[in-house]
Amino acid sequence: LQAYTNTTSNDAKAAPGQYSYLSAVRAVRDILAPLGWKPCSIENKVEAAVNNDETIQILVSSGDSATGDKTRDPKTKNTKGGIIGKIVKESYEQLFLFPQHEEIVTSSLDEISTWFLLYYLDKEKEELRLELSFSNNYEVISNLKKCWVTQWKPRIIFNPIKFGETLSPEILDHFHAEEDFD
């Protein structure tokens, strides 16, 4: 949010989105590092954080206006390259190993569950909406060279953060999330 709001009219047109993404990737890695998570770059194209036993990874992506709205299914704001489609497909296939969705884990180090931290900067409401969600479907565009990630289950939806709100470590300790594991 701070990276987004610190841009000016003299920045490149895409700067707010790029700075937001880069800062979000760093923040996820910074927050998870003390828990044993480490940075990961998938095929030098997709940045992620991966847990110590390499069974769960978190990717960061901007989402559309449905991000953080439990009544609607968000999708990624922009199309993603084929590597994201491949990652989602492989992660989704593991879902059938755990049909109750009680806990999504993987059965070997060669398999990894992929979660997305989706964020949406709502200029009209002046808030940042976030959710940590497991992708279970995607919409293919031109033979998997491009895709939107379109469906999520389960979803962990966080309370919105108002523009200008200061987040201290103490506030983050009490950051409320609503889990949607139905």
Side-chain angles (χ1 to χ4, degrees):
L1 181 57
Q2 186 176 26
Y4 173 82
T5 57
N6 281 345
T7 59
T8 71
S9 59
N10 290 327
D11 282 306
K13 187 174 182 174
Q18 290 175 348
Y19 292 156
S20 296
Y21 167 77
L22 296 171
S23 292
V25 169
R26 182 181 60 225
V28 166
R29 289 172 172 174
D30 287 349
I31 290 167
L32 295 175
L35 302 173
W37 290 62
K38 57 191 173 197
C40 174
S41 182
I42 304 161
E43 296 186 16
N44 291 323
K45 295 179 182 178
V46 177
E47 297 298 319
V50 64
N51 67 343
N52 196 34
D53 60 1
E54 298 184 359
T55 57
I56 301 170
Q57 64 187 359
I58 297 175
L59 282 61
V60 175
S61 178
S62 57
D64 67 6
S65 64
T67 300
D69 181 344
K70 66 180 179 179
T71 66
R72 299 168 47 207
D73 259 340
K75 67 178 184 179
T76 52
K77 180 179 176 184
N78 301 305
T79 58
K80 304 297 176 190
I83 185 69
I84 295 291
K86 180 181 172 188
I87 290 167
V88 169
K89 180 178 184 290
E90 289 172 1
S91 190
Y92 177 63
E93 287 171 353
Q94 294 173 44
L95 201 57
F96 296 105
L97 297 173
F98 308 97
Q100 300 305 315
H101 309 295
E102 291 176 6
E103 185 177 353
I104 297 179
V105 295
T106 55
S107 59
S108 79
L109 293 179
D110 295 334
E111 298 173 336
I112 191 161
S113 292
T114 302
W115 289 71
F116 285 77
L117 178 67
L118 290 177
Y119 65 91
Y120 178 72
L121 293 155
D122 189 327
K123 296 174 197 170
E124 186 176 302
K125 292 184 177 180
E126 295 189 348
E127 66 184 17
L128 168 65
R129 293 195 298 272
L130 298 162
E131 65 179 75
L132 183 63
S133 299
F134 183 82
S135 170
N136 63 10
N137 205 355
Y138 57 95
E139 178 183 325
V140 176
I141 302 165
S142 87
N143 296 331
L144 202 55
K145 290 183 179 168
K146 295 279 184 187
C147 70
W148 271 288
V149 185
T150 57
Q151 292 180 353
W152 317 88
K153 197 65 146 191
R155 296 170 67 194
I156 301 169
I157 299 173
F158 297 94
N159 285 337
I161 301 169
K162 293 293 184 185
F163 288 10
E165 185 176 348
T166 302
L167 295 179
S168 66
E170 295 80 28
I171 292 172
L172 292 175
D173 287 342
H174 302 287
F175 202 34
H176 175 74
E178 180 176 325
E179 296 179 12
D180 178 16
F181 286 99
D182 298 338

